[in-house]
Amino acid sequence: MKRSRIGIGAIALFSVAALGLAGCSSDSGTESTDSASSTAIVSTNGNEPQAPLVTTGTTEVGGGKILTSIYAGLVSYQADGSIVNEVADSIESDDATTWTVKLKDGWTFTNGEAVTSKSFIDAWNYGAKFSNAQGSSYFFDNIVGFSYDEDTELTGLKAVDDTTFTVELSSPEADWPLRLGYTAYMPLPSVAYEDIEAFGENPIGNGPYMLAEEGAWNHDVEINLITNPDYDGVRKPVNGGLDIRFYTSQDAAYADVQAGNLDVLDAVPDTQFENYEAEFGDRAVNQPAAIFQAFNIPYYLEHWTGEEGKLRRAAISMSIDRGEITDVIFQGTRTPATDFTSPVIDGYSDSLEGAEVLEFNPDEAKKLWAEADAIAPYGDTVFTLAYNADGGHQAWVDAVTNSIKNTLGINAEGKSYPDFKSALDDRVNAKLTGATRAGWQADYPSLYNFLAPLYQTGAGSNYEGYSSEEFDSLLKEGSKSATVEDATAKYQEAQEVLLKDLPTIPLWYSNVTGVSGDTVDNVEFGWDSVPLYYAVTKG
């Protein structure tokens, strides 16, 4: 039996409901298309990307912030997370399995090459190919022809003509278009495949911004972007470009905003939580965002696998006083976690079976630790929690390790890396000697996005080696569900497996806390905590 035709409008309505946020979505990008853009450059904070800027290879926030600025996908996310067609003219299906994508005419990359069906099909095939080892490859695992184990072609992708292609999924997904604003699904020009790493140093996109010149990425310092004069999409910039500066500390970035040397900061350091709203007034923001924070303990370390590992993970979790830490250190900018997602995502829960393991319970923590010691003594081993010093994490890491130390009577301390890139490198290469700070800023507004990339066996961001057949099975059942409600139920069951295994120790959900200088106006932060840069006016 055929279902009624599913179009982008229906999905957009779904995504608004999914977020559960009050207020209207931003349309400042579309309004700006009739007015001339300012030539003033907006400065903002960022992180040195971990890898070359390739759409299917970048899975961290620093690189993602740049890629979403220089590329345009089939859809874009508005401030509240709802989607609007960008390069796509329509995305439709009769059965939620085979989707027909029609592109708008006239789109080009900044080198003049036309954006066609092939631009998307080739990019997705490159991202999915096993030997290319792309961090976002799992985003294509629902397309017919995908393989985790060998090089295959996505046979589910077929070009009808230059501006039309079809996508056959391995099972129905009614909300599939909701994914398509993520960078992994963006198109690439043909020149990219001549030398993908060199291309990643000077990427050529089709979005609202482009690199100011060849070599505009000054590693460990900044990247300079200017507006793309040929861009006429829904995110038309009203400024002249972006200088994204890579700070080694949030305090330094905050001081630059105070001094008028930085326009927009999207992460206030914890040292300023008590002062920033009073100091910046209506130029300060503190609002919910799709950000989950935790720490992971690698499965390749002694004491953290099998029954002993489960006992120790639960003991560690129950030895942390999340309520006190979020009150004292974060002062209303964090909320203790009750699941593995975010309160702004539809399907979030504060009543999952087994969630009591996330509550502070010193007596139970000591009991479980003793049971683990009966299996294999922990002895004088120091429990370390790694973090990147450029992210403003030291205060909470010290508080968490002190809580663990005071509860369990073991040696526990933080381990500082100079920057995010070096910390992530050790995670990627399985070189950690203890626990590591972890977190997730959603790629698109869905429970699935908080689960599959991090905990599915072999997933691109599953660096610490978790694998569970039960979890994988429930995740797959959820992705094949005919309704959002059925999918949510399966994803919640999958989280109950995580609560037993604790591959990550959930800590809290983050608000986006940001400030902007009096040099700029119209600063709005999106559902994922990233400012809508194209809407910022200056001068």
Side-chain angles (χ1 to χ4, degrees), residues 254 257-258 275-284 514-518:
Y254 188 83
V257 182
Q258 289 176 308
N275 309 313
Y276 80 100
E277 289 180 298
E279 179 175 1
F280 284 89
D282 60 5
R283 291 181 288 112
V515 295
S516 56
D518 57 11

Side-chain angles (χ1 to χ4, degrees), residues 113-250:
E113 180 181 328
V115 176
T116 66
S117 300
K118 183 175 170 58
S119 307
F120 285 94
I121 290 173
D122 287 353
W124 296 8
N125 267 301
Y126 178 84
K129 190 175 181 180
F130 174 74
S131 62
N132 289 334
Q134 294 295 282
S136 292
S137 63
Y138 55 89
F139 277 95
F140 306 104
D141 69 357
N142 59 340
I143 298 176
V144 171
F146 179 86
S147 173
Y148 276 110
D149 304 312
E150 59 183 350
D151 284 346
T152 57
E153 184 180 354
L154 296 178
T155 54
L157 300 178
K158 298 188 185 306
V160 177
D161 55 42
D162 279 351
T163 57
T164 308
F165 67 99
T166 59
V167 183
E168 183 184 357
L169 305 181
S170 54
S171 59
E173 288 188 44
D175 64 345
W176 179 71
L178 196 61
R179 300 180 175 212
L180 301 179
Y182 180 52
T183 51
Y185 296 105
M186 292 180 180
L188 288 173
S190 56
V191 68
Y193 310 108
E194 295 175 7
D195 185 336
I196 198 74
E197 290 210 8
F199 176 82
E201 291 294 318
N202 292 282
I204 296 167
N206 64 321
Y209 298 97
M210 63 187 198
L211 269 66
E213 58 187 355
E214 189 169 345
W217 179 5
N218 185 2
H219 286 278
D220 298 311
V221 178
E222 65 181 358
I223 189 166
N224 307 122
L225 309 180
I226 58 173
T227 54
N228 174 6
D230 297 322
Y231 175 85
D232 197 26
V234 296
R235 296 179 290 149
K236 188 76 171 177
V238 293
N239 49 61
L242 302 175
D243 282 348
I244 302 176
R245 301 172 185 170
F246 309 143
Y247 284 88
T248 56
S249 81
Q250 289 178 326

Side-chain angles (χ1 to χ4, degrees), residues 54-75:
V54 178
T55 55
T56 53
T58 297
T59 59
E60 40 79 29
V61 175
K65 182 184 292 186
I66 299 166
L67 287 170
T68 54
S69 297
I70 62 178
Y71 283 93
L74 295 171
V75 304

Side-chain angles (χ1 to χ4, degrees), residues 12-13 15-16 19 25 76-84 178 445 527:
L13 289 173
S15 65
V16 172
L19 282 168
S25 62
S76 283
Y77 299 114
Q78 299 188 88
D80 65 355
S82 59
I83 56 176
V84 60
L178 196 61
W527 65 280

